[in-house]
Amino acid sequence: MPTVYGLFGPPGAGKGTQWDLYEATSTISYNNLSVGNILRKNVAAGTPLGQAAQAYMASGGLVPDDIINGLVIDEIKNSSAPVVLDGFPRTVGQAQALIDAGITPVVIYFHVDDEIILKRAENRIVCFKCSSTYTRDDFKPPVVEGVCDNCGSTLGRRSDDDPEIVKHRLEVYRSETLPVLDVFRNHNVKIFEIDNSRSAEARKQFAEIMSNN
Ligand code: AMP
């Protein structure tokens, strides 16, 4: 089984952004499994998975475990590179499926206040083709405004970054996802905590955790 890292925290905590920054400087090749990105690509391509997931995603709710679990666990089992899970597990059922499959992740828990999350969602622009993420402020802007540095496609806002939907996603996070930590604690999973309200410091801490575990 490959080493598995789990990026944990509320939606908009900057998990994906910290990951992109780290990966750009890392010499190790990882298998980055962002469930949200996989689902968005399937929605855009109109696959059966995308069709099943679309309505849940649009409302800011979670896609049911039976659609998600097999997909993620098979991908982990078949991976020859270390796996980075972004956005999984998000429910107690998903965490239990991971444990039942004999997978013990190293968990990195990003904390950020709701206020900052709402501001970041307002500020986020994404590439719908290759999933690169940028900001509309000077934290991580694209080189050319509105154009993806990575693949040259036009950038846009995620519809679920609308403030009302972000608030709902935060409620879902509290009720469905936070209890995942208890499952991990009960199985002695290592949990590292990072305050991601100051991104530069968080970036250093994250790099240290990745190289020591
Ligand atoms: P994200 O890009 O991680 O913010 O995910 C976007 C949306 O995809 C979420 O609001 C959910 O609807 C869906 N999603 C992502 N990861 C999961 C998961 N592990 N379980 C269920 N739904 C998910």
Side-chain angles (χ1 to χ4, degrees), residues 172-194:
V172 171
Y173 169 75
R174 279 196 190 93
S175 60
E176 304 279 322
T177 305
L178 262 183
V180 161
L181 290 176
D182 292 330
V183 177
F184 284 154
R185 289 189 185 113
N186 290 340
H187 288 85
N188 300 318
V189 170
K190 265 194 205 171
I191 303 173
F192 295 93
E193 302 202 16
I194 295 183

PDB file of all heavy atoms in Angstrom, residues 172-194:
ATOM      1  N   VAL A 172     -22.307  21.829   6.394  1.00  0.00           N
ATOM      2  CA  VAL A 172     -22.150  20.399   6.090  1.00  0.00           C
ATOM      3  C   VAL A 172     -20.811  19.911   6.649  1.00  0.00           C
ATOM      4  O   VAL A 172     -20.716  18.816   7.215  1.00  0.00           O
ATOM      5  CB  VAL A 172     -22.233  20.154   4.556  1.00  0.00           C
ATOM      6  CG1 VAL A 172     -21.850  18.729   4.199  1.00  0.00           C
ATOM      7  CG2 VAL A 172     -23.633  20.476   4.041  1.00  0.00           C
ATOM      8  N   TYR A 173     -19.790  20.744   6.534  1.00  0.00           N
ATOM      9  CA  TYR A 173     -18.460  20.378   7.072  1.00  0.00           C
ATOM     10  C   TYR A 173     -18.567  20.102   8.572  1.00  0.00           C
ATOM     11  O   TYR A 173     -18.064  19.095   9.067  1.00  0.00           O
ATOM     12  CB  TYR A 173     -17.466  21.512   6.787  1.00  0.00           C
ATOM     13  CG  TYR A 173     -16.163  21.342   7.530  1.00  0.00           C
ATOM     14  CD1 TYR A 173     -15.228  20.403   7.114  1.00  0.00           C
ATOM     15  CD2 TYR A 173     -15.867  22.120   8.661  1.00  0.00           C
ATOM     16  CE1 TYR A 173     -14.036  20.223   7.804  1.00  0.00           C
ATOM     17  CE2 TYR A 173     -14.681  21.944   9.352  1.00  0.00           C
ATOM     18  CZ  TYR A 173     -13.773  20.993   8.912  1.00  0.00           C
ATOM     19  OH  TYR A 173     -12.600  20.811   9.602  1.00  0.00           O
ATOM     20  N   ARG A 174     -19.257  21.016   9.285  1.00  0.00           N
ATOM     21  CA  ARG A 174     -19.345  20.840  10.752  1.00  0.00           C
ATOM     22  C   ARG A 174     -20.125  19.591  11.122  1.00  0.00           C
ATOM     23  O   ARG A 174     -19.733  18.845  12.010  1.00  0.00           O
ATOM     24  CB  ARG A 174     -20.008  22.064  11.384  1.00  0.00           C
ATOM     25  CG  ARG A 174     -18.999  23.125  11.523  1.00  0.00           C
ATOM     26  CD  ARG A 174     -19.322  24.259  12.446  1.00  0.00           C
ATOM     27  NE  ARG A 174     -18.272  25.211  12.186  1.00  0.00           N
ATOM     28  CZ  ARG A 174     -18.366  26.201  11.302  1.00  0.00           C
ATOM     29  NH1 ARG A 174     -19.489  26.426  10.666  1.00  0.00           N
ATOM     30  NH2 ARG A 174     -17.336  26.983  11.090  1.00  0.00           N
ATOM     31  N   SER A 175     -21.247  19.373  10.433  1.00  0.00           N
ATOM     32  CA  SER A 175     -22.077  18.242  10.860  1.00  0.00           C
ATOM     33  C   SER A 175     -21.567  16.902  10.327  1.00  0.00           C
ATOM     34  O   SER A 175     -21.595  15.906  11.046  1.00  0.00           O
ATOM     35  CB  SER A 175     -23.536  18.470  10.458  1.00  0.00           C
ATOM     36  OG  SER A 175     -23.616  18.590   9.059  1.00  0.00           O
ATOM     37  N   GLU A 176     -21.067  16.881   9.079  1.00  0.00           N
ATOM     38  CA  GLU A 176     -20.718  15.581   8.471  1.00  0.00           C
ATOM     39  C   GLU A 176     -19.220  15.267   8.541  1.00  0.00           C
ATOM     40  O   GLU A 176     -18.850  14.102   8.651  1.00  0.00           O
ATOM     41  CB  GLU A 176     -21.101  15.588   6.977  1.00  0.00           C
ATOM     42  CG  GLU A 176     -22.543  15.897   6.687  1.00  0.00           C
ATOM     43  CD  GLU A 176     -23.425  14.684   6.854  1.00  0.00           C
ATOM     44  OE1 GLU A 176     -22.992  13.590   6.504  1.00  0.00           O
ATOM     45  OE2 GLU A 176     -24.548  14.862   7.365  1.00  0.00           O
ATOM     46  N   THR A 177     -18.387  16.293   8.405  1.00  0.00           N
ATOM     47  CA  THR A 177     -16.955  16.018   8.194  1.00  0.00           C
ATOM     48  C   THR A 177     -16.129  16.088   9.480  1.00  0.00           C
ATOM     49  O   THR A 177     -15.261  15.242   9.698  1.00  0.00           O
ATOM     50  CB  THR A 177     -16.383  16.992   7.133  1.00  0.00           C
ATOM     51  OG1 THR A 177     -17.186  16.882   5.954  1.00  0.00           O
ATOM     52  CG2 THR A 177     -14.942  16.671   6.777  1.00  0.00           C
ATOM     53  N   LEU A 178     -16.405  17.067  10.353  1.00  0.00           N
ATOM     54  CA  LEU A 178     -15.595  17.166  11.582  1.00  0.00           C
ATOM     55  C   LEU A 178     -15.578  15.864  12.402  1.00  0.00           C
ATOM     56  O   LEU A 178     -14.525  15.497  12.936  1.00  0.00           O
ATOM     57  CB  LEU A 178     -16.082  18.331  12.443  1.00  0.00           C
ATOM     58  CG  LEU A 178     -15.299  19.642  12.311  1.00  0.00           C
ATOM     59  CD1 LEU A 178     -15.868  20.683  13.286  1.00  0.00           C
ATOM     60  CD2 LEU A 178     -13.801  19.457  12.573  1.00  0.00           C
ATOM     61  N   PRO A 179     -16.703  15.130  12.493  1.00  0.00           N
ATOM     62  CA  PRO A 179     -16.672  13.871  13.266  1.00  0.00           C
ATOM     63  C   PRO A 179     -15.674  12.834  12.740  1.00  0.00           C
ATOM     64  O   PRO A 179     -15.348  11.873  13.448  1.00  0.00           O
ATOM     65  CB  PRO A 179     -18.116  13.352  13.158  1.00  0.00           C
ATOM     66  CG  PRO A 179     -18.948  14.560  12.863  1.00  0.00           C
ATOM     67  CD  PRO A 179     -18.083  15.459  12.035  1.00  0.00           C
ATOM     68  N   VAL A 180     -15.186  13.032  11.503  1.00  0.00           N
ATOM     69  CA  VAL A 180     -14.163  12.127  10.950  1.00  0.00           C
ATOM     70  C   VAL A 180     -12.935  12.097  11.868  1.00  0.00           C
ATOM     71  O   VAL A 180     -12.279  11.068  12.028  1.00  0.00           O
ATOM     72  CB  VAL A 180     -13.763  12.617   9.528  1.00  0.00           C
ATOM     73  CG1 VAL A 180     -12.430  12.046   9.083  1.00  0.00           C
ATOM     74  CG2 VAL A 180     -14.863  12.274   8.528  1.00  0.00           C
ATOM     75  N   LEU A 181     -12.636  13.236  12.504  1.00  0.00           N
ATOM     76  CA  LEU A 181     -11.448  13.311  13.368  1.00  0.00           C
ATOM     77  C   LEU A 181     -11.550  12.312  14.519  1.00  0.00           C
ATOM     78  O   LEU A 181     -10.542  11.735  14.932  1.00  0.00           O
ATOM     79  CB  LEU A 181     -11.256  14.730  13.907  1.00  0.00           C
ATOM     80  CG  LEU A 181     -10.819  15.770  12.855  1.00  0.00           C
ATOM     81  CD1 LEU A 181     -10.764  17.161  13.482  1.00  0.00           C
ATOM     82  CD2 LEU A 181      -9.467  15.406  12.238  1.00  0.00           C
ATOM     83  N   ASP A 182     -12.773  12.092  15.029  1.00  0.00           N
ATOM     84  CA  ASP A 182     -12.941  11.123  16.126  1.00  0.00           C
ATOM     85  C   ASP A 182     -12.621   9.704  15.647  1.00  0.00           C
ATOM     86  O   ASP A 182     -12.013   8.929  16.375  1.00  0.00           O
ATOM     87  CB  ASP A 182     -14.382  11.156  16.672  1.00  0.00           C
ATOM     88  CG  ASP A 182     -14.664  12.469  17.380  1.00  0.00           C
ATOM     89  OD1 ASP A 182     -13.706  13.046  17.930  1.00  0.00           O
ATOM     90  OD2 ASP A 182     -15.829  12.910  17.355  1.00  0.00           O
ATOM     91  N   VAL A 183     -13.054   9.395  14.423  1.00  0.00           N
ATOM     92  CA  VAL A 183     -12.743   8.055  13.875  1.00  0.00           C
ATOM     93  C   VAL A 183     -11.224   7.899  13.812  1.00  0.00           C
ATOM     94  O   VAL A 183     -10.671   6.878  14.238  1.00  0.00           O
ATOM     95  CB  VAL A 183     -13.347   7.878  12.452  1.00  0.00           C
ATOM     96  CG1 VAL A 183     -12.960   6.526  11.861  1.00  0.00           C
ATOM     97  CG2 VAL A 183     -14.857   8.054  12.468  1.00  0.00           C
ATOM     98  N   PHE A 184     -10.551   8.924  13.311  1.00  0.00           N
ATOM     99  CA  PHE A 184      -9.088   8.849  13.203  1.00  0.00           C
ATOM    100  C   PHE A 184      -8.439   8.735  14.577  1.00  0.00           C
ATOM    101  O   PHE A 184      -7.542   7.923  14.783  1.00  0.00           O
ATOM    102  CB  PHE A 184      -8.551  10.078  12.469  1.00  0.00           C
ATOM    103  CG  PHE A 184      -8.773  10.047  10.977  1.00  0.00           C
ATOM    104  CD1 PHE A 184      -8.864  11.219  10.248  1.00  0.00           C
ATOM    105  CD2 PHE A 184      -8.866   8.844  10.298  1.00  0.00           C
ATOM    106  CE1 PHE A 184      -9.052  11.201   8.873  1.00  0.00           C
ATOM    107  CE2 PHE A 184      -9.055   8.806   8.921  1.00  0.00           C
ATOM    108  CZ  PHE A 184      -9.151   9.984   8.209  1.00  0.00           C
ATOM    109  N   ARG A 185      -8.905   9.553  15.521  1.00  0.00           N
ATOM    110  CA  ARG A 185      -8.297   9.516  16.868  1.00  0.00           C
ATOM    111  C   ARG A 185      -8.490   8.132  17.493  1.00  0.00           C
ATOM    112  O   ARG A 185      -7.584   7.599  18.123  1.00  0.00           O
ATOM    113  CB  ARG A 185      -8.903  10.604  17.760  1.00  0.00           C
ATOM    114  CG  ARG A 185      -8.437  11.994  17.338  1.00  0.00           C
ATOM    115  CD  ARG A 185      -8.845  13.085  18.323  1.00  0.00           C
ATOM    116  NE  ARG A 185      -8.466  14.384  17.788  1.00  0.00           N
ATOM    117  CZ  ARG A 185      -9.325  15.338  17.402  1.00  0.00           C
ATOM    118  NH1 ARG A 185     -10.624  15.169  17.546  1.00  0.00           N
ATOM    119  NH2 ARG A 185      -8.880  16.471  16.913  1.00  0.00           N
ATOM    120  N   ASN A 186      -9.662   7.544  17.273  1.00  0.00           N
ATOM    121  CA  ASN A 186      -9.934   6.212  17.831  1.00  0.00           C
ATOM    122  C   ASN A 186      -9.053   5.126  17.218  1.00  0.00           C
ATOM    123  O   ASN A 186      -8.927   4.040  17.769  1.00  0.00           O
ATOM    124  CB  ASN A 186     -11.400   5.809  17.613  1.00  0.00           C
ATOM    125  CG  ASN A 186     -12.319   6.642  18.486  1.00  0.00           C
ATOM    126  OD1 ASN A 186     -11.866   7.226  19.472  1.00  0.00           O
ATOM    127  ND2 ASN A 186     -13.587   6.734  18.097  1.00  0.00           N
ATOM    128  N   HIS A 187      -8.479   5.406  16.035  1.00  0.00           N
ATOM    129  CA  HIS A 187      -7.613   4.419  15.380  1.00  0.00           C
ATOM    130  C   HIS A 187      -6.150   4.874  15.387  1.00  0.00           C
ATOM    131  O   HIS A 187      -5.354   4.402  14.581  1.00  0.00           O
ATOM    132  CB  HIS A 187      -8.090   4.147  13.949  1.00  0.00           C
ATOM    133  CG  HIS A 187      -9.369   3.359  13.920  1.00  0.00           C
ATOM    134  ND1 HIS A 187     -10.603   3.952  14.016  1.00  0.00           N
ATOM    135  CD2 HIS A 187      -9.594   2.024  13.855  1.00  0.00           C
ATOM    136  CE1 HIS A 187     -11.531   3.009  13.998  1.00  0.00           C
ATOM    137  NE2 HIS A 187     -10.949   1.836  13.903  1.00  0.00           N
ATOM    138  N   ASN A 188      -5.840   5.790  16.314  1.00  0.00           N
ATOM    139  CA  ASN A 188      -4.457   6.270  16.483  1.00  0.00           C
ATOM    140  C   ASN A 188      -3.817   6.782  15.200  1.00  0.00           C
ATOM    141  O   ASN A 188      -2.630   6.569  14.955  1.00  0.00           O
ATOM    142  CB  ASN A 188      -3.560   5.171  17.077  1.00  0.00           C
ATOM    143  CG  ASN A 188      -4.074   4.740  18.426  1.00  0.00           C
ATOM    144  OD1 ASN A 188      -4.477   5.599  19.225  1.00  0.00           O
ATOM    145  ND2 ASN A 188      -4.099   3.446  18.675  1.00  0.00           N
ATOM    146  N   VAL A 189      -4.628   7.428  14.355  1.00  0.00           N
ATOM    147  CA  VAL A 189      -4.084   8.037  13.135  1.00  0.00           C
ATOM    148  C   VAL A 189      -3.366   9.329  13.546  1.00  0.00           C
ATOM    149  O   VAL A 189      -3.867  10.086  14.384  1.00  0.00           O
ATOM    150  CB  VAL A 189      -5.246   8.345  12.151  1.00  0.00           C
ATOM    151  CG1 VAL A 189      -4.778   9.191  10.984  1.00  0.00           C
ATOM    152  CG2 VAL A 189      -5.876   7.045  11.663  1.00  0.00           C
ATOM    153  N   LYS A 190      -2.183   9.581  12.940  1.00  0.00           N
ATOM    154  CA  LYS A 190      -1.432  10.802  13.248  1.00  0.00           C
ATOM    155  C   LYS A 190      -2.150  12.005  12.636  1.00  0.00           C
ATOM    156  O   LYS A 190      -2.466  11.994  11.439  1.00  0.00           O
ATOM    157  CB  LYS A 190      -0.064  10.742  12.571  1.00  0.00           C
ATOM    158  CG  LYS A 190       1.043  10.239  13.433  1.00  0.00           C
ATOM    159  CD  LYS A 190       2.370  10.568  12.744  1.00  0.00           C
ATOM    160  CE  LYS A 190       3.434   9.612  13.194  1.00  0.00           C
ATOM    161  NZ  LYS A 190       4.667   9.732  12.424  1.00  0.00           N
ATOM    162  N   ILE A 191      -2.403  13.052  13.453  1.00  0.00           N
ATOM    163  CA  ILE A 191      -3.059  14.257  12.924  1.00  0.00           C
ATOM    164  C   ILE A 191      -2.159  15.462  13.207  1.00  0.00           C
ATOM    165  O   ILE A 191      -1.891  15.784  14.370  1.00  0.00           O
ATOM    166  CB  ILE A 191      -4.437  14.473  13.576  1.00  0.00           C
ATOM    167  CG1 ILE A 191      -5.324  13.246  13.353  1.00  0.00           C
ATOM    168  CG2 ILE A 191      -5.113  15.742  13.028  1.00  0.00           C
ATOM    169  CD1 ILE A 191      -6.652  13.282  14.092  1.00  0.00           C
ATOM    170  N   PHE A 192      -1.672  16.127  12.157  1.00  0.00           N
ATOM    171  CA  PHE A 192      -0.874  17.347  12.309  1.00  0.00           C
ATOM    172  C   PHE A 192      -1.786  18.537  12.044  1.00  0.00           C
ATOM    173  O   PHE A 192      -2.560  18.516  11.099  1.00  0.00           O
ATOM    174  CB  PHE A 192       0.272  17.365  11.286  1.00  0.00           C
ATOM    175  CG  PHE A 192       1.263  16.276  11.513  1.00  0.00           C
ATOM    176  CD1 PHE A 192       1.132  15.060  10.864  1.00  0.00           C
ATOM    177  CD2 PHE A 192       2.324  16.458  12.385  1.00  0.00           C
ATOM    178  CE1 PHE A 192       2.036  14.033  11.085  1.00  0.00           C
ATOM    179  CE2 PHE A 192       3.243  15.440  12.613  1.00  0.00           C
ATOM    180  CZ  PHE A 192       3.095  14.231  11.955  1.00  0.00           C
ATOM    181  N   GLU A 193      -1.674  19.569  12.904  1.00  0.00           N
ATOM    182  CA  GLU A 193      -2.570  20.723  12.730  1.00  0.00           C
ATOM    183  C   GLU A 193      -1.783  21.934  12.238  1.00  0.00           C
ATOM    184  O   GLU A 193      -0.699  22.218  12.736  1.00  0.00           O
ATOM    185  CB  GLU A 193      -3.257  21.042  14.057  1.00  0.00           C
ATOM    186  CG  GLU A 193      -4.034  19.835  14.560  1.00  0.00           C
ATOM    187  CD  GLU A 193      -5.145  20.179  15.536  1.00  0.00           C
ATOM    188  OE1 GLU A 193      -5.542  21.359  15.613  1.00  0.00           O
ATOM    189  OE2 GLU A 193      -5.608  19.234  16.208  1.00  0.00           O
ATOM    190  N   ILE A 194      -2.352  22.633  11.265  1.00  0.00           N
ATOM    191  CA  ILE A 194      -1.709  23.831  10.708  1.00  0.00           C
ATOM    192  C   ILE A 194      -2.724  24.974  10.690  1.00  0.00           C
ATOM    193  O   ILE A 194      -3.843  24.796  10.205  1.00  0.00           O
ATOM    194  CB  ILE A 194      -1.229  23.579   9.256  1.00  0.00           C
ATOM    195  CG1 ILE A 194      -0.123  22.521   9.236  1.00  0.00           C
ATOM    196  CG2 ILE A 194      -0.761  24.855   8.594  1.00  0.00           C
ATOM    197  CD1 ILE A 194       0.464  22.260   7.849  1.00  0.00           C
TER     198      ILE A 194
END
